[in-house]
Amino acid sequence: MQGEALEAWFSANAAVWLLITARAAGVCFTAPVLAAPGLDPRFRVALAVLLGAWMAPAAAPLVGTIETGRAIVWLVLNEVLIGGLIGWSASLIVAAARQAGDLVAAQSGMSTSALFDPETGEELTALGHLYGLIALATFLTLDGPLIMAEAMIESFRTIPAGRLIFERATAELMFSQVAAALSLAVRAAAPPAVALAAAGVALGWLGRLAPSVPLMTLSLPIRAALGVLLVSASLVTLIACLTNAWSVWGV
């Protein structure tokens, strides 16, 4: 009887379920972990369908009644865009962590070992890749997928279906997300980067005080070794910073 009731609900509210699934599809193509290029698009589509069916009973009262017709196509595209923006805002935290790793790598002289990252389409240092993996691990440890699913349901209360309007408030919200990501990158990179900058200044002073010592030759391995030690010592601070960023996301 319960299965028949669900089937009757989905047949009577097909348009509502379609919009919920469209918003879930936008998240599945831009959210952390799911945005990896090696993930089969068919898996993302199947996951969006399952998420739409799972969220439908809770999100349907927030969507309301949707009339079918030609306008449903534009509503679906609108929902995909909204879902994409939700996933994009979460992916900014991972991007900020990678940028922090690149900043530390530049200070330690390890930026020359950059490798091509197929996910971003750009060169990424080993530290940047490590910081990005730590951000993803923190996301999964804090039940990030469940938090994101709850955020999708609540988004129907904040932005009703088909009501995304690019006005001043929307632009300010998007730029504030970018600003928060840049602030996170600086805070995550600050402990080792500041220490490495101070070490560079100290090496420069030693070079002026003792010109006979070949500090220019030794500075790169010294800064690289110091960078590895500082990164290892600041991992706890990095994880705490990322944990705080994921905790306030979506609030």
Side-chain angles (χ1 to χ4, degrees):
M1 293 295 294
Q2 187 176 2
E4 294 178 358
L6 287 175
E7 184 179 354
W9 186 92
F10 278 114
S11 60
N13 299 272
V16 174
W17 173 76
L18 180 61
L19 294 183
I20 296 173
T21 303
R23 187 172 294 195
V27 172
C28 289
F29 277 86
T30 58
V33 181
L34 296 175
L39 197 62
D40 194 339
R42 292 174 295 182
F43 172 80
R44 299 174 184 171
V45 173
L47 180 60
V49 173
L50 293 176
L51 282 175
W54 176 71
M55 294 189 303
L62 303 177
V63 176
T65 305
I66 302 296
E67 297 181 0
T68 58
R70 294 183 178 179
I72 192 67
V73 177
W74 299 107
L75 290 177
V76 168
L77 294 176
N78 186 86
E79 293 305 299
V80 172
L81 179 59
I82 295 174
L85 290 175
I86 295 173
W88 168 78
S89 66
S91 295
L92 280 176
I93 297 178
V94 181
R98 290 173 176 166
Q99 186 63 38
D102 288 342
L103 289 174
V104 177
Q107 289 292 333
S108 60
M110 292 187 287
S111 58
T112 55
S113 60
L115 300 174
F116 178 76
D117 182 23
E119 184 173 346
T120 60
E122 300 176 354
E123 288 189 348
L124 189 67
T125 62
L127 279 179
H129 187 63
L130 174 63
Y131 276 41
L133 290 178
I134 293 175
L136 291 176
T138 307
F139 171 74
L140 295 175
T141 303
L142 297 175
D143 294 330
L146 294 179
I147 296 175
M148 185 161 292
E150 294 176 358
M152 277 191 289
I153 296 175
E154 289 298 321
S155 68
F156 285 100
R157 192 187 309 275
T158 306
I159 308 176
R163 300 292 179 85
L164 178 62
I165 302 176
F166 286 99
E167 53 186 10
R168 182 183 181 87
T170 306
E172 290 179 351
L173 179 61
M174 295 176 65
F175 280 108
S176 66
Q177 293 288 336
V178 176
L182 292 175
S183 174
L184 174 61
V186 173
R187 285 185 283 111
V194 171
L196 286 168
V201 172
L203 288 173
W205 284 346
L206 288 175
R208 292 180 64 88
L209 293 175
S212 59
V213 180
L215 289 178
M216 292 298 295
T217 306
L218 298 175
S219 62
L220 184 58
I222 291 175
R223 293 180 65 179
L226 185 59
V228 172
L229 291 176
L230 290 172
V231 168
S232 302
S234 63
L235 284 180
V236 176
T237 305
L238 173 64
I239 294 174
C241 186
L242 292 172
T243 300
N244 180 68
W246 285 122
S247 299
V248 287
W249 179 87
V251 177

